Amino acid sequence: MDIEQTRFNMVAQQIRPWYVLDDNVLDLLYKLKREEFVPAESHVMAFVDMEIPLGHGQVMLTPKMEARIVQELHINPTDKILEVGSGSGYMTALLAQRGEHVYSVEIIPELKAMAEKNLQAHGITNVTLEQGDAARGWPQHAPYDAIVLTASTPALPEAFQNSLNPGGRLFAIVGEDPVMEALIITCTAPGEFTTTKLFETSTAPLINALQPARFTF
């Protein structure tokens, strides 16, 4: 397999058609080798348009989703970023290449260890990996300039948007099957927010994600 040709095909056939046209983001996908962040048994699937299992019921998002998230967040070099769900560390690495510092929180110890190993192997040092449950917020280092939820949440806790700096952006996939929407929520002023609906999708929820209020009779 010509791995660079396969990487080119991934960008040309999956990512660009999904409205990822920012050259800085596309260049990053060539620079940061995705196949080096997937589990060894999944190397052949590193460039496939699918969610790759990481074990413990968790997955890597599809390549086009990862790229679209990074583009839509419009990350600045001075941004302090919160990532909920470190996974293999690939999204963490993408964010770290764009922003000043990433605080990444992972609930599963084995995945935190995987992310640590992968980030160290690539010399990425502007990341603080923490173990914990951030499904309903992680105010420890707030306020943030960007927040990324790497899995869905049936209901979105207000703690996330309340942890944004003015001008800060939150990416979240909100809802339950069959209807989930990817959203960018921007803090326009203290306590004021705008929501942009990006696309419909479906992915597994965060562990301990907030559930919507249910009617009982």
Side-chain angles (χ1 to χ4, degrees):
M1 179 177 70
D2 182 339
I3 201 160
E4 292 309 320
Q5 182 63 47
T6 306
R7 193 187 323 280
F8 175 86
N9 292 345
M10 174 189 73
V11 172
Q13 297 170 11
Q14 297 176 41
I15 292 171
R16 290 183 67 92
W18 225 49
Y19 307 106
V20 180
L21 304 174
D22 184 326
D23 286 335
N24 291 322
V25 174
L26 296 174
D27 289 346
L28 186 54
L29 301 177
Y30 289 106
K31 174 184 174 184
L32 200 61
K33 309 300 186 185
R34 191 174 196 266
E35 69 276 13
E36 296 173 2
F37 286 82
V38 304
E41 65 273 15
S42 300
H43 274 184
V44 296
M45 298 186 291
F47 306 110
V48 177
D49 184 16
M50 63 173 286
E51 294 183 338
I52 294 178
L54 297 174
H56 312 280
Q58 305 303 299
V59 297
M60 285 181 73
L61 294 170
T62 63
K64 67 186 181 186
M65 179 76 80
E66 293 164 338
R68 184 76 180 271
I69 291 170
V70 175
Q71 174 178 271
E72 296 294 345
L73 282 169
H74 299 289
I75 296 167
N76 299 306
T78 56
D79 280 355
K80 179 168 66 172
I81 302 164
L82 171 66
E83 179 190 37
V84 180
S86 311
S88 72
Y90 184 66
M91 175 65 78
T92 321
L94 292 172
L95 297 169
Q97 293 288 313
R98 303 282 289 161
E100 182 172 7
H101 196 89
V102 180
Y103 293 93
S104 184
V105 187
E106 175 56 58
I107 194 171
I108 298 170
E110 292 84 353
L111 293 186
K112 177 176 178 283
M114 179 193 296
E116 283 177 335
K117 180 181 177 182
N118 287 336
L119 292 167
Q120 287 171 2
H122 289 79
I124 296 170
T125 58
N126 59 328
V127 172
T128 300
L129 283 168
E130 299 178 287
Q131 188 181 335
D133 182 357
R136 303 190 183 196
W138 196 258
Q140 284 84 328
H141 310 289
Y144 305 100
D145 301 299
I147 300 175
V148 182
L149 277 58
T150 63
S152 65
T153 183
L156 184 63
E158 290 186 1
F160 287 117
Q161 60 193 54
N162 292 335
S163 293
L164 289 172
N165 268 321
R169 291 84 58 208
L170 161 65
F171 175 87
I173 297 170
V174 182
E176 298 174 283
D177 278 330
V179 181
M180 297 185 192
E181 286 191 312
L183 308 175
I184 288 282
I185 297 172
T186 303
C187 178
T188 55
E192 297 183 13
F193 306 92
T194 61
T195 299
T196 302
K197 296 179 180 179
L198 299 175
F199 50 84
E200 292 186 356
T201 188
S202 178
T203 192
L206 292 163
I207 295 172
N208 300 328
L210 180 65
Q211 300 296 315
R214 311 284 186 187
F215 290 108
T216 57
F217 299 94

